Amino acid sequence: RQLRRNGGGGADGDDSLYPIAVLIDELRNEDVQLRLNSIKKLSTIALALGVERTRTELLPFLTDTIYDEDEVLLALAEQLGNFTMLVGGPEYVHCLLPPLESLATVEETVVRDKAVESLRKISQEHSPVDLEVHFEPLVKRLASGDWFTSRTSACGLFSVCYPRVSSTVKAEIRQHFRTLCSDDTPMVRRAAASKLGEFAKVLELDYVKSDIISLFTALASDEQDSVRLLAVEACVSIATLLPQEDLESLVMPTLRQAAEDKSWRVRYMVADKFSETFVSLQMYLCFNCIHSVLTIWLSDLCLLCPVSEQELVSDTNQHVKSALASVIMGLSTILGKDNTIEHLLPLFLAQLKDECPEVRLNIISNLDCVNEVIGIRQLSQSLLPAIVELAEDAKWRVRLAIIEYMPLLAGQLGVEFFDEKLNTLCMAWLIDHVYAIREAATCNLMKLVEKFGAEWAQNTIVPKVLGMANDPNYLHRMTTLFCINALSEACGQDITTKQMLPVVLKMSNDQVANVRFNVAKSLQKIGPVLDSNALQTEVKPVLEKLATDTDMDVKYFAQEAISGKHFTLINVNKLKMAIIKSEMHFNLLVFTVLVLA
Amino acid sequence: TCSSSSTPNFSVPSAEKVDGFPRRSMRRARQRRSHSSSQFRYQSSQVELTPLPLLKDAPVAELHDLFCKKLQQCCVLFDFLDCVADLKGKEIKRAALNELVESVATSRGVLIEPLYPEAIKMISVNIFRTLPPSENPEFDPEEDEPTLEASWPHLQLVYEFFLRFLESPDFQPSMAKRYVDQKFVLQLLELFDSEDPREREYLKTILHRVYGKLLGLRAYIRKQINNIFLRFIYETEHFNGVAELLEILGSIINGFALPLKAEHKQFLVRVLIPLHTAKSLSIFHAQLAYCVVQFMEKDATVTEYIIRGLLKYWPKTCTQKEVMFLGEIEEILDVIEPSQFIRVQEPLFKQIAACISSPHFQVAERALYFWNNEYILSLIEENCQVILPLVFATLYRVSKEHWNQTIVSLIYNVLKTFMEMNSKLFDDLTASYKVEKQKELKRDRERADLWRGLEEHQDRRMQMLTEAARNQRNLQERGERGDPPSPSSPQTSHSDQPELKPSGASSSSSGGGESAT
């Protein structure tokens, strides 16, 4: 092996600089890693060879020697999808078909999928003529291949060429797809079922009705549940294609059958796709169907619930259950008031009593959907115990999650109900023994005030918060300060100056240093809300006194407050940032709770 | 290697991993209750069972009728998750099953034609069910305790009955085949995914009997096992009964007629060999290796497929699997025909050399043990001219570099053996070692040069192309706007250039200029 190069570095940029043999040696290196590196830089090699020799020498070599490590083949399959320019543009793109065809028949799924992906990509670069002359025959060859791998790959290629070929060829493609849907190997049927929806989308409506529906029905009653569940998945796309008057007769019987399938995997898939399918089915037009399907679902839920009581429910089932919980909540908008009350309410109430906090939280977090339809009042009596229980859950993360929903709940339930039932809870969180809960509770109060207004705050929240300033526990006294920090802006100047400020000032004499330096911090924070008179006459003297405190930290924060006493807007922005940050933090935690609980 | 996990993911483990400790406690809790039942749906209106007279007391004329009644009684399913529910009913069914087993096993003339559909129906009702989702979504058959089937007290007796039924001297395949059909067998095969090893053990024996007695189903059974394996390899990577199915196949292969049919060779090359790629290979490797060796003993011409296949799927990162592969290679070499050995020795010993230089001492050790096998040693000796040059450089280098003393001394032994085999060749190789090393370094440098040149070329081409594209665009814009040519038009869109940076892979060694003339 020798390397012929004229002048170091090949400065003249001649295309024929590198004999193909040298480059091919690189692609054939014994060391897999080196071979893989070479394949990953196939475009560099092709560029060095020029388009002509890439077509006539490199590609035939690649086509002939496809027996390699899957890793190398994967890289090759990927590279070839981006090779159009390197073989001379769309005019010559069909040269890429032979190597990709071989790759589409290998065993390893990852390689095959990548080859199909690349084939789909370059199919778009074919002219309609080339598509019929070169691409479509390839699809046909794959579809009638001996081994299941090529037939599986063919399934993914029908939909990309169908729209751009003549009607005779279209008929052939439909025939091939039909054949593959009833293939002998379940692997091929699975591939066909998973492409059924995609293929249906490119078909003319008449063929959807005549061909696709029968295929869908057949696949949905396949002997293997792995095939059936993929057919259910395709249902969503098929339903969107059909006119409403046909849905009942063409899709519903199969869907109903799938909802009752003996395999939990299939039922799970129906559950998963439930609301999605129903939206596309526009079910408000056929109430009968809803009724029967819902009955099945109710029984499935009832089936799962007793199992959970015996603590024998598996993770998967919990997952199914909570997936159902959220899906069913979403249904209420589609079903309308009467149906929701009749069918969903009992279910919903049962779920609120579920022993798994995740299920309960899922229901509560989706309350807004139900509220839009029947009003939350219908539920408030059942809702309350569930909320109270979650609010007192032993896991602080669960408590945190329910706090997150408080503003939402307050909005749904209204001031009156809130004051009566939930206010105490909100106040109780302020003295929780976990700091994260107290912090969240503070933030919650702020959001409530934003919702219900300053007047409400003045009457309900503020007195209670200020009352805690006299609590023997210094942590609770500090909570007062934190609440004031959070509430002052929402409550406005009047309340802040008249009610909050005196309490803060009085606390500057607290015997615990932590409280005193938090007074300094609070004064800095509420400064922007106060008028300049109060700042000068009341705040300044207190801060000056604290600046001479015996405790180092108190001194420090007092001086900080004095030096930043002109209280620029920046401080306010910082506070807002902090709130936004803590909200993000909540969401993350809520997510964690939902997963862990 | 590539992994093909296209499993629909029903669990939500990703976020669980954020925080490890609650999970562990959950796990422990789960392990305590390691019983599950797949019978999710029980008949809502539970039938009250009443004890029937004993079979042994029945007058001959009524025996079959009573047998039939007992079979029907055994079609009632019970809730075993609730261990105190309907104890009386459970006991009646258990006793009835026991009697049925006893009767089929010991008395002749019981199995008459009308009983076949009833018996198969009873078996189907009891054993065929959709297996429950695993309690542990990340169930690792090697580490975790399997979930046991809660309804086993009844299920076991049903399986026992089925087995006795098949083994009974009265059993008539011609009658049974009407009921034990393809659909039945397919459902039976799906049960092999059961997590309960006791159930799989029964299934194994039963399927073996079905295969042996119902000849019409043989091809179908083989095809379905193929499908299960292919789904396991390429789609789900999960199936609990691979080892059991392989065990059955081991004896099936044993009975293959010669010459091997294309179908069987295809099974070897496209199913058995790829099975080696599975992550959970250790669970069924013994059975798999047995099948592979069975094939070789049937027909030596498949040897090359097997060895090349194993080399193709040789583990890259999992040393534990590498040791298993080496074990299997030794099993194969133990029975290999010398003529076949010659066909594969070159790629094979390149791989063995690579194993010897593995930093994992168990891998190196396992490979070096080949020299302790007398038959292999004789094969090596016969082909010393070919093999020694393949492994010499590695042995020489590793003997100086390996961290593990055991490996070093094993290598010395191997080197000594070679020296005794062919001292002339050995001396030649020792002498040329340094030169070869130099040549190798030179080749590396040349490669680096080649790639540097290629990449510079690419850079230039891309520059030219961008330039051309820009000029064209300028031309167009000028044409559209009627503007005069603007030489300083902003340099736009470099974004569609491919990656130009020389990647670290082709180690850009310095002083590369001296080579390449």
Side-chain angles (χ1 to χ4, degrees), chain A residues 1 3 5 9-10 13-15 18 22-23 26 29-30 34 37-38 41 44-45 47-48 67-71 107-110 147-148 184-187 190 223-224 262-265 267-268 300 303 310-312 314-317 319 397 591 595-596, chain B residues 1-4 10 12 15-16 19 22 26 30 33 35 40-41 81 130-135 137 186 190 223-224 227 230-231 234-235 266 270 308 312-313 316 350 443 446-447 449-451 453-458 460-462 503 505-506 516-517:
Chain A
R1 91 181 63 180
L3 205 67
R5 292 213 331 220
D14 181 359
D15 270 357
Y18 302 100
V22 174
L23 299 174
E26 282 301 295
N29 198 300
E30 260 175 39
L34 290 174
N37 289 341
S38 307
K41 286 185 282 188
T44 310
I45 292 180
L47 206 59
Y67 179 83
D68 204 330
E69 306 265 343
D70 292 328
E71 201 77 51
E107 255 89 1
E108 178 53 53
T109 326
V110 190
W147 190 241
F148 79 96
D184 201 28
T185 34
M187 285 77 78
R190 278 196 284 276
E223 57 186 13
Q224 305 241 340
K262 69 182 193 323
S263 162
W264 60 270
R265 291 184 188 85
R267 295 200 307 276
Y268 175 90
D300 217 24
L303 189 83
Q310 295 166 33
E311 274 198 56
L312 277 152
S314 70
D315 274 17
T316 315
N317 281 339
H319 193 57
R397 285 190 185 85
F591 176 72
V595 175
L596 286 178
Chain B
T1 52
C2 319
S3 73
S4 56
F10 295 118
V12 276
E16 269 183 31
D19 182 353
M26 268 164 66
R30 231 189 260 125
R33 44 176 164 88
H35 281 275
F40 271 134
R41 282 166 199 255
L81 291 177
T130 309
L131 293 168
S134 180
E135 298 227 326
L186 186 65
E190 274 169 12
K223 196 172 82 187
Q224 292 309 324
N227 287 342
L230 290 168
R231 185 180 62 189
Y234 296 114
E235 293 182 10
Q266 187 174 56
R270 310 196 103 154
R308 289 193 187 273
K312 180 181 173 187
Y313 296 125
K316 301 282 183 302
K350 278 181 187 162
R443 274 200 297 276
E446 283 175 2
R447 177 177 308 109
D449 279 351
L450 170 66
W451 279 104
L454 283 172
E455 268 152 20
E456 278 165 15
H457 177 257
Q458 174 172 358
R460 276 197 309 279
R461 285 301 301 261
M462 291 323 287
S503 105
S506 65
T517 46

Side-chain angles (χ1 to χ4, degrees), chain B residues 330-348:
Chain B
E330 180 160 7
E331 275 182 60
I332 291 168
L333 291 179
D334 256 335
V335 295
I336 199 166
E337 290 202 1
S339 59
Q340 296 295 325
F341 180 80
I342 292 167
R343 301 169 80 109
V344 292
Q345 57 183 354
E346 207 175 311
L348 179 62

Side-chain angles (χ1 to χ4, degrees), chain B residues 251-270:
Chain B
S251 60
I252 292 178
I253 295 165
N254 214 342
F256 280 164
L258 282 172
L260 284 180
K261 282 195 221 160
E263 176 213 327
H264 301 323
K265 282 193 189 166
Q266 187 174 56
F267 168 67
L268 170 71
V269 176
R270 310 196 103 154

Side-chain angles (χ1 to χ4, degrees), chain B residues 81-358:
Chain B
L81 291 177
D82 183 354
C83 51
V84 291
D86 203 0
L87 285 175
K88 191 168 140 263
K90 283 177 186 167
E91 176 52 29
I92 293 169
K93 177 169 170 182
R94 196 194 61 80
L97 280 168
N98 260 330
E99 262 191 292
L100 290 171
V101 170
E102 170 89 22
S103 168
V104 173
T106 56
S107 37
R108 299 292 307 263
V110 185
L111 287 185
I112 56 162
E113 189 165 6
L115 287 182
Y116 279 71
E118 293 297 329
I120 296 300
K121 185 179 161 221
M122 189 278 280
I123 293 163
S124 307
V125 166
N126 278 281
I127 67 173
F128 293 152
R129 64 225 193 265
T130 309
L131 293 168
S134 180
E135 298 227 326
N136 178 355
E138 293 158 68
F139 177 67
D140 176 354
E142 279 181 285
E143 297 267 327
D144 301 329
E145 284 290 308
T147 309
L148 298 177
E149 174 60 49
S151 60
W152 190 243
H154 284 173
L155 207 55
Q156 176 185 13
L157 292 168
V158 176
Y159 278 124
E160 188 65 37
F161 171 78
F162 191 10
L163 189 59
R164 302 289 178 167
F165 174 75
L166 290 165
E167 287 174 345
S168 160
D170 293 340
F171 178 79
Q172 297 280 337
S174 55
M175 289 177 198
K177 73 178 180 196
R178 255 175 282 163
Y179 313 104
V180 182
D181 54 4
Q182 296 193 345
K183 188 157 181 279
F184 184 94
V185 166
L186 186 65
Q187 286 174 284
L188 196 67
L189 282 167
E190 274 169 12
L191 289 175
F192 275 82
D193 194 21
S194 167
E195 241 178 72
D196 194 330
R198 301 169 300 184
E199 180 167 19
R200 295 202 304 271
E201 191 60 31
Y202 264 111
L203 285 165
K204 185 179 74 185
T205 324
I206 286 168
L207 185 66
H208 201 186
R209 295 289 173 276
V210 171
Y211 191 89
K213 306 220 164 179
L214 299 169
L215 308 187
L217 286 172
R218 287 187 172 183
Y220 183 79
I221 292 175
R222 286 198 306 270
K223 196 172 82 187
Q224 292 309 324
I225 293 181
N226 268 6
N227 287 342
I228 288 177
F229 283 166
L230 290 168
R231 185 180 62 189
F232 170 74
I233 302 167
Y234 296 114
E235 293 182 10
T236 61
E237 286 190 35
H238 175 90
F239 192 82
N240 290 313
V242 176
E244 284 81 2
L245 290 176
L246 282 170
E247 215 170 304
I248 299 170
L249 282 167
S251 60
I252 292 178
I253 295 165
N254 214 342
F256 280 164
L258 282 172
L260 284 180
K261 282 195 221 160
E263 176 213 327
H264 301 323
K265 282 193 189 166
Q266 187 174 56
F267 168 67
L268 170 71
V269 176
R270 310 196 103 154
V271 184
L272 279 189
I273 302 291
L275 260 180
H276 287 85
T277 57
K279 209 161 53 183
S280 51
L281 176 68
S282 62
I283 296 160
F284 55 81
H285 182 247
Q287 290 83 350
L288 180 58
Y290 178 79
C291 286
V292 168
V293 172
Q294 285 292 305
F295 258 111
M296 273 183 60
E297 294 203 276
K298 273 273 152 194
D299 179 357
T301 59
V302 299
T303 310
E304 194 172 348
Y305 293 122
I306 294 174
I307 302 265
R308 289 193 187 273
L310 287 177
L311 293 176
K312 180 181 173 187
Y313 296 125
W314 202 273
K316 301 282 183 302
T317 53
C318 180
T319 49
Q320 192 204 354
K321 268 176 82 173
E322 230 178 326
V323 173
M324 282 187 259
F325 269 57
L326 284 166
E328 186 170 347
I329 291 284
E330 180 160 7
E331 275 182 60
I332 291 168
L333 291 179
D334 256 335
V335 295
I336 199 166
E337 290 202 1
S339 59
Q340 296 295 325
F341 180 80
I342 292 167
R343 301 169 80 109
V344 292
Q345 57 183 354
E346 207 175 311
L348 179 62
F349 275 84
K350 278 181 187 162
Q351 181 59 57
I352 291 173
C355 292
I356 291 173
S357 62
S358 167

